[in-house]
Amino acid sequence: MFRRKKPRTRSVLLSLALLAGASATLAVPTLADAAGGSSGTSKLVAIRTATHPGYDRLVFEFSGKLPSHTFVQWAPKIARDGSGDTVPAGGNAFLQIGLGGVTGYTKNYASTFGPLRRSTGNQNLNEVVHAGEFEGMVSFGAAMMARTSYSVLKLTNPSRVVIDIRNDYARTRVPVYFTNRATAETRSVWRYVPAGAPATGALHRMFAGPTPAESAAGVGNTLSKATGFTNLSISNGIARVRLTGGCSAGGGAFSVANQIDATLSHYPTVRWVKIYSPTGQTGAPTGNSDSLPTCLEP
C-alpha cells in the first residue's frame, strides 16, 4: 500500500512558446511499413505549435512541394495507419490528419521531422502523435482538451500545412504533477483544462507529459508502462481511476501512482485515491483509504 504524500513542490509556469522538441513518454508507432519515398517526394521536416489569442496553431513544414492531398477530420480516436489500432494520446477530442505525397523518414527509417510523440502544453492542443506512414501518406493525430472548430491553410515559401484550432472553450487552470528528475519527487506545472471536468483534463495533461521546455528544466514523467486511464470517478471523497496499457513500478518506490495521487488530491472533493490496474485490480477497493494495484507496489 502506498502512503499518501501531499505535494510539496514548486510550480513550473505553463509555457506557451513554440514547440522545439518533445518528450517520448509512451509507446509510439514506428516508421516501419512505409513504402519508400522517391527522390522527388517532398519531406516533412518540422512540426511546430503555438498558442495565439482565440486559437492554437499546428504547423507541418515540408522541404519541397505541398502535400498532393490533405485530410483533417474529427475522429473518435487516433487510428494507426493500416491496422486501425488506437494510438494512445491524452485528450477529450481528436483530429486525424493525413498528408499525402510526402515522406517523413530517411532511407534508414529515421524521422525527418523530430520526435514521433510530443506534448505541447497549448491551451487546447495537448499532444501530437505520429500514426504511421504507408504508400506516400503520413498520418498524425492531434489530441485536444475540447472539441471546438478548426481551419486548414496551405502556405508556401516554405511549404506548410497549418491547422488552427479554436481554444476559446470554457476552461480553468490547474496544477498537474510530474516527476522532479533530480529528487524523484512530484513537481507541478500548470495547464488549462475544461472547467466542467478539470480532474479528467488534468490526467490527460499528465499522461501527455512535460513540454520540451519543462523537460529541459528537469521535469520528467513516470508512467510505469501505463499509456492512459479510463473510468475516472469521484464520489464520497474517493477518486477511482483505472490504468490502460501496461502497469509495472519496476520495484521502485516512485511510480505513476505518486503523480496521479498528487494531481487528483488537488481537488477538495478528493480525500483518497484508489488506482486500478488495467485488469481492474486494486489492493483495497472498499473503505476510506488509498489503494494501489499489485503491479504498482514497491
Side-chain angles (χ1 to χ4, degrees):
M1 187 68 60
F2 74 103
R3 294 187 302 171
R4 172 182 295 277
K5 294 183 179 179
K6 288 295 183 181
R8 300 185 185 279
T9 61
R10 63 188 183 88
S11 296
V12 179
L13 293 178
L14 173 67
S15 173
L16 297 179
L18 291 177
L19 183 66
S23 58
T25 58
L26 300 178
V28 296
T30 68
L31 291 173
D33 299 325
S38 68
S39 59
T41 300
S42 181
K43 287 186 178 180
L44 175 62
V45 295
I47 299 174
R48 299 186 298 275
T49 72
T51 290
H52 299 279
Y55 66 95
D56 294 339
R57 171 160 286 188
L58 170 59
V59 179
F60 297 92
E61 183 175 325
F62 308 90
S63 62
K65 297 179 180 179
L66 283 163
S68 58
H69 54 284
T70 301
F71 76 83
V72 181
Q73 61 185 17
W74 291 112
K77 65 175 185 176
I78 298 172
R80 195 183 309 277
D81 193 13
S83 68
D85 294 340
T86 299
V87 179
N92 296 308
F94 306 99
L95 282 177
Q96 189 84 35
I97 302 163
L99 306 167
V102 301
T103 185
Y105 71 100
T106 68
K107 291 182 179 180
N108 295 323
Y109 293 96
S111 165
T112 61
F113 55 84
L116 304 184
R117 178 180 294 274
R118 56 192 74 206
S119 173
T120 69
N122 299 116
Q123 288 187 11
N124 193 1
L125 179 60
N126 185 38
E127 193 171 10
V128 180
V129 297
H130 180 253
E133 178 170 343
F134 185 69
E135 295 184 343
M137 173 72 75
V138 184
S139 298
F140 288 89
M144 257 70 66
M145 288 292 95
R147 179 166 175 165
T148 54
S149 61
Y150 65 89
S151 60
V152 181
L153 304 173
K154 291 185 178 181
L155 305 175
T156 56
N157 297 320
S159 298
R160 287 156 290 159
V161 170
V162 177
I163 305 172
D164 289 339
I165 305 135
R166 297 296 303 180
N167 61 22
D168 50 358
Y169 65 99
R171 62 183 184 264
T172 186
R173 195 164 173 261
V174 301
V176 177
Y177 288 83
F178 296 112
T179 305
N180 186 329
R181 291 200 302 265
T183 62
E185 296 176 342
T186 54
R187 181 171 174 177
S188 65
V189 305
W190 289 88
R191 294 282 194 270
Y192 285 102
V193 299
T200 297
L203 288 186
H204 282 315
R205 293 289 199 179
M206 192 206 82
F207 275 97
T211 66
E214 292 161 354
S215 294
V219 181
N221 209 18
T222 303
L223 294 183
S224 307
K225 297 187 177 181
T227 59
F229 71 97
T230 188
N231 297 346
L232 173 63
S233 66
I234 300 174
S235 179
N236 299 321
I238 300 175
R240 301 176 188 272
V241 62
R242 183 168 174 169
L243 301 177
T244 59
C247 179
S248 175
F254 193 94
S255 74
V256 68
N258 297 80
Q259 294 184 189
I260 292 174
D261 179 56
T263 297
L264 294 180
S265 295
H266 163 76
Y267 301 97
T269 55
V270 175
R271 297 184 61 190
W272 301 280
V273 177
K274 294 184 185 292
I275 301 171
Y276 293 74
S277 71
T279 59
Q281 180 268 332
T282 194
T286 61
N288 292 335
S289 65
D290 295 318
S291 180
L292 284 181
T294 301
C295 55
L296 292 184
E297 291 284 359

